Amino acid sequence: PAAAAAAPAAEAGSPASVDPDSDAFTTDAPTTDAGGDEVVTIGEVVEETGSGEEEMEKAFLGRSEGEQREMAAAYREMADAVKGKLQELVEKKGTEYCVTEADIREIMGGLEKKRKVAVE
């Protein structure tokens, strides 16, 4: 999109940058991390699998307004929790740390446990 063209380029040596005034994301991410493991970007995953946005939008819009509000609030809570956990990783391991699959599994597992407790 046009917003992506306006996003500032990532600084040299910086794996990525986000334009705070848009959803634009630029990356100069390496193809492997310091341990030699392959680095895969979200853009690559979406390119390979498709975003599924149309199907999700159709399913969302098929819900009542009350259900849509509940879903939106739950998503916001989850997104804020994930963002907070990722920020904790940056604080612990530094800005050059490459988030691993194990990190994501731990974060999402913790959220799942929290959700189960809240539902019960």
Side-chain angles (χ1 to χ4, degrees), residues 20-111:
D21 297 324
S22 76
D23 290 334
F25 179 80
T26 60
T27 182
D28 291 323
T31 56
T32 58
D33 66 10
D37 291 327
E38 180 183 11
V39 173
V40 179
T41 66
I42 291 172
E44 291 170 331
V45 172
V46 169
E47 190 175 292
E48 186 175 309
T49 63
S51 69
E53 285 183 45
E54 290 177 21
E55 295 86 0
M56 288 186 285
E57 181 179 13
K58 185 176 179 181
F60 181 76
L61 293 175
R63 305 282 185 163
S64 72
E65 285 184 34
E67 288 174 313
Q68 289 178 17
R69 277 193 294 278
E70 288 178 25
M71 290 171 70
Y75 174 80
R76 178 78 269 147
E77 185 178 320
M78 181 208 59
D80 289 344
V82 169
K83 183 178 177 182
K85 293 294 185 182
L86 290 171
Q87 183 61 40
E88 288 176 18
L89 276 175
V90 168
E91 290 168 4
K92 282 185 197 174
K93 301 190 179 206
T95 58
E96 297 299 315
Y97 178 71
C98 186
V99 176
T100 66
E101 179 180 345
D103 293 328
I104 298 300
R105 288 186 183 280
E106 183 178 330
I107 290 169
M108 298 311 288
L111 294 177

